[in-house]
Amino acid sequence: MNLRNYLILFGIIGFALQGASCQGKRKLVKDRLTLDQAFVNQNLEDAKKQISYLASSVKEADIPTTFQNGKYVNWGSSWWCSGFYPGTVLYLYEYSKDPKLLDEAKRKLKYLEKEKNNKGTHDLGFMLYCSFGNALRLTSDSTSYKYVLITGAASLATRYKDATKTIRSWDGGKNWDGQSWTYPVIIDNMMNLEFLMEVSKMTGNSSYADIAIKHADATMVNHYRKDYSSYHVVDYNSMDGSIISRKTAQGAFDESAWSRGQAWGLYGYTMMFRETNDQKYLQQARNIAKFYLNHPNLPQDLIPYWDMDQNKLTTSSKYYNQKDLRDVSTAAVMASALLELAQYTDGGESQLYIAKAEQMLRSLSSKPYKADYKEAGGYILKHSVGSIPHETEVDVPLTYADYYYVEALVRYKRLLDGDPIIKI
């Protein structure tokens, strides 16, 4: 076993030994919660009704993505969002124990399973861990779900290159966004590392954790500015790992802070601290949270504009008329991440993260963001932004907004119950 593998093992053991301390912090977090069980249960009940309506409105083979112009849009199992709908259904099954929800999730997993062999995407964490990972956690069907996850992790690992110490996001040449890339890595990729960390523990194969750690370390150095805002895309030279450019594909401009990218980073580094007990990841998460929560353009209701620098757009920008659109999906991801980060910090800092997450949940659970029953095709939340530069999924409900909103509610309920926020 090489030195890095010893360090990985030491981190995992160290985190286990920290359990008693974390248990104390969980109790402290519970004492500081201000939302009650009635609020959480009502919103989970409403989400269950909505998702059940959505389930009854789409074909069995369809995996929901969004609802736009009065029509369901389903991009298929190979789309990066395909794991969120079954994952949402599984979280709601965890809450309600309604067997119909488990049956619905299993129906969708049947069509998603083939993506375990997909080596053409970096998004297998989103696609497989949010779905099959939750299924493994909540059911006894361990053999088949483990096989899917282990096979999928092997597929994802093929996209890693040691010259860059990162997992490649998109394949070469002109990609879906029309820009020319050499070896592009997007901040979103931080969200696929949990998949590798979990499969590393599942199999005892430290190479998966090694890839995740190297990717997180390289991203920390190369994606982040001095103020701890993140670039969206870093394009590498695949031969020597040097940086060709830092750009955006979904933000307002290259030097802007695309809102959802900031949320991906916060969630990702909070998770990496949980998995490794490496303090540098905790500090990175705290710095990202400070940048985000103190940003002068963050609206009072904490539902951000799609880009945190949207106020810098001029009338000559083709995005100017859309500059003030909110992105509900960012707030959902942020709320879930902050609830976890609160467990790893103390005092006023922990209280701040709880209070901000609670405010986000209050906003998301009210108009104009929360859909009424049967509204928005059965999606739970409205007013998310996929990609304004690509004119796709603009100001619509999105499956990943629903997923992280329900995850945040379930995490909050666990805190109210005095349980660990993360269940493996």
Side-chain angles (χ1 to χ4, degrees):
M1 184 182 291
N2 62 33
L3 177 60
R4 176 171 285 274
N5 290 344
Y6 274 117
L7 292 173
I8 293 167
L9 181 61
F10 178 79
I12 293 171
I13 293 172
F15 188 72
L17 293 174
Q18 193 187 19
S21 174
C22 286
Q23 183 66 40
K25 286 184 179 180
R26 279 197 290 270
K27 183 178 184 302
L28 182 65
V29 167
K30 180 180 179 181
D31 292 344
R32 291 177 170 178
L33 302 178
T34 64
L35 301 179
D36 58 20
Q37 287 278 10
F39 173 89
V40 175
N41 289 345
Q42 184 61 62
N43 282 292
L44 284 170
E45 281 293 330
D46 291 346
K48 177 178 176 288
K49 287 177 62 178
Q50 276 290 87
I51 289 298
S52 296
Y53 175 73
L54 175 57
S56 70
S57 303
V58 298
K59 298 176 183 177
E60 180 176 304
D62 288 343
I63 303 178
T65 302
T66 185
F67 186 77
Q68 197 163 0
N69 299 320
K71 296 181 180 179
Y72 291 98
V73 178
N74 311 298
W75 286 102
S77 66
S78 63
W79 188 238
W80 73 276
C81 300
S82 56
F84 292 120
Y85 172 76
T88 302
V89 173
L90 285 162
Y91 270 133
L92 292 170
Y93 165 71
E94 178 182 359
Y95 156 71
S96 68
K97 304 300 186 290
D98 185 340
K100 293 180 181 178
L101 290 173
L102 182 58
D103 290 343
E104 169 68 2
K106 288 181 175 180
R107 279 193 290 271
K108 300 307 180 186
L109 293 179
K110 179 176 63 176
Y111 296 100
L112 181 56
E113 179 180 351
K114 62 180 177 291
E115 300 306 327
K116 68 182 183 293
N117 299 311
N118 188 342
K119 298 178 181 178
T121 178
H122 69 288
D123 283 316
L124 291 176
F126 285 135
M127 296 159 68
L128 299 179
Y129 190 64
C130 294
S131 55
F132 287 92
N134 275 314
L136 176 63
R137 182 174 60 83
L138 294 169
T139 72
S140 59
D141 192 4
S142 60
T143 302
S144 61
Y145 294 155
K146 277 187 178 180
Y147 174 71
V148 171
L149 293 167
I150 293 168
T151 305
S155 296
L156 177 57
T158 65
R159 300 187 64 79
Y160 174 81
K161 193 173 182 67
D162 204 50
T164 68
K165 293 182 170 52
T166 60
I167 301 164
R168 183 178 189 143
S169 293
W170 307 319
D171 290 331
K174 284 191 175 181
N175 212 280
W176 65 277
D177 64 344
Q179 298 191 56
S180 293
W181 304 103
T182 302
Y183 190 101
V185 177
I186 60 176
I187 190 62
D188 317 39
N189 216 346
M190 284 297 302
M191 298 293 285
N192 295 295
L193 304 185
E194 185 174 9
F195 179 33
L196 294 175
M197 296 299 294
E198 185 60 28
V199 172
S200 187
K201 291 184 289 184
M202 188 184 300
T203 61
N205 185 344
S206 63
S207 65
Y208 295 127
D210 189 50
I211 289 172
I213 288 168
K214 286 179 177 177
H215 184 99
D217 290 350
T219 300
M220 189 185 301
V221 172
N222 296 326
H223 264 80
Y224 280 86
R225 307 179 181 99
K226 290 182 179 180
D227 64 358
Y228 295 98
S229 66
S230 170
Y231 287 95
H232 181 203
V233 190
V234 175
D235 196 19
Y236 291 89
N237 181 318
S238 63
M239 301 303 294
D240 62 13
S242 60
I243 293 173
I244 297 171
S245 62
R246 293 178 173 92
K247 293 186 176 181
T248 194
Q250 290 174 255
F253 48 92
D254 289 340
E255 291 296 328
S256 74
W258 173 54
S259 296
R260 194 161 59 248
Q262 314 315 304
W264 293 145
L266 178 67
Y267 193 111
Y269 283 106
T270 301
M271 175 278 300
M272 286 301 293
F273 171 69
R274 180 221 310 156
E275 294 297 321
T276 67
N277 200 35
D278 191 327
Q279 290 291 322
K280 73 172 180 285
Y281 296 138
L282 176 59
Q283 189 58 48
Q284 183 73 2
R286 294 168 70 195
N287 287 333
I288 296 167
K290 183 177 181 180
F291 166 80
Y292 184 89
L293 295 174
N294 292 329
H295 200 284
N297 292 339
L298 186 62
Q300 189 173 3
D301 65 2
L302 302 189
I303 309 300
Y305 302 107
W306 63 281
D307 194 290
M308 303 192 79
D309 294 303
Q310 51 78 36
N311 62 312
K312 297 177 183 177
L313 291 173
T314 65
T315 54
S316 62
S317 170
K318 61 181 178 180
Y319 314 138
Y320 183 78
N321 290 334
Q322 296 168 301
K323 70 183 183 68
D324 292 335
L325 290 178
R326 305 292 188 92
D327 180 32
V328 159
S329 73
T330 294
V333 176
M334 275 287 177
S336 187
L338 287 170
L339 287 174
E340 182 174 4
L341 184 57
Q343 292 192 122
Y344 310 142
T345 51
D346 294 305
E349 184 179 4
S350 177
Q351 181 61 60
L352 173 68
Y353 299 148
I354 295 167
K356 294 298 184 180
E358 288 174 338
Q359 188 175 350
M360 291 173 192
L361 286 173
R362 288 190 190 96
S363 295
L364 291 169
S365 301
S366 60
K367 292 183 182 302
Y369 307 114
K370 182 180 172 183
D372 292 329
Y373 180 49
K374 295 186 178 181
E375 187 186 7
Y379 286 83
I380 303 165
L381 300 177
K382 303 182 292 182
H383 302 303
S384 286
V385 169
S387 179
I388 283 180
H390 303 99
E391 300 178 351
T392 59
E393 300 167 349
V394 177
D395 196 22
V396 296
L398 286 171
T399 182
Y400 47 93
D402 287 358
Y403 176 87
Y404 289 104
Y405 171 68
V406 171
E407 179 182 84
L409 288 171
V410 169
R411 285 181 166 188
Y412 199 94
K413 182 172 175 59
R414 290 174 190 161
L415 291 176
L416 285 169
D417 294 339
D419 292 336
I421 197 169
I422 304 299
K423 292 187 177 181
I424 302 300

